[in-house]
Amino acid sequence: MGYREELEKQLEMAEKRLNQATEDTPQEILDHYRKDYDDLSFELNNLYDDPETQSE
């Protein structure tokens, strides 16, 4: 699995965790989930695909 696919999977899991949080989840936990999601999203959106460095 390449790095892009790994990031996409992590982003999907972070989004799922954020969306499935119950209403009684503490705000600091939700903030942490949101930060994880935002960080992964930022990294994925700024990923440069270099054919020479891709590993599958």
Side-chain angles (χ1 to χ4, degrees):
M1 176 182 307
Y3 187 60
R4 176 174 290 281
E5 290 85 14
E6 187 177 324
L7 278 177
E8 288 171 346
K9 183 169 178 75
Q10 289 177 3
L11 183 64
E12 181 181 316
M13 290 173 17
E15 182 178 26
K16 187 175 181 180
R17 181 174 51 237
L18 188 60
N19 290 337
Q20 291 181 347
T22 60
E23 289 188 24
D24 62 342
T25 303
Q27 186 61 43
E28 61 186 37
I29 301 295
L30 292 173
D31 292 344
H32 179 72
Y33 288 170
R34 171 59 63 188
K35 183 178 181 330
D36 283 347
Y37 177 83
D38 290 344
D39 289 346
L40 288 165
S41 180
F42 180 81
E43 187 172 353
L44 183 61
N45 288 331
N46 291 295
L47 185 65
Y48 173 71
D49 290 330
D50 185 359
E52 293 180 9
T53 60
Q54 286 182 341
S55 62
E56 294 185 29

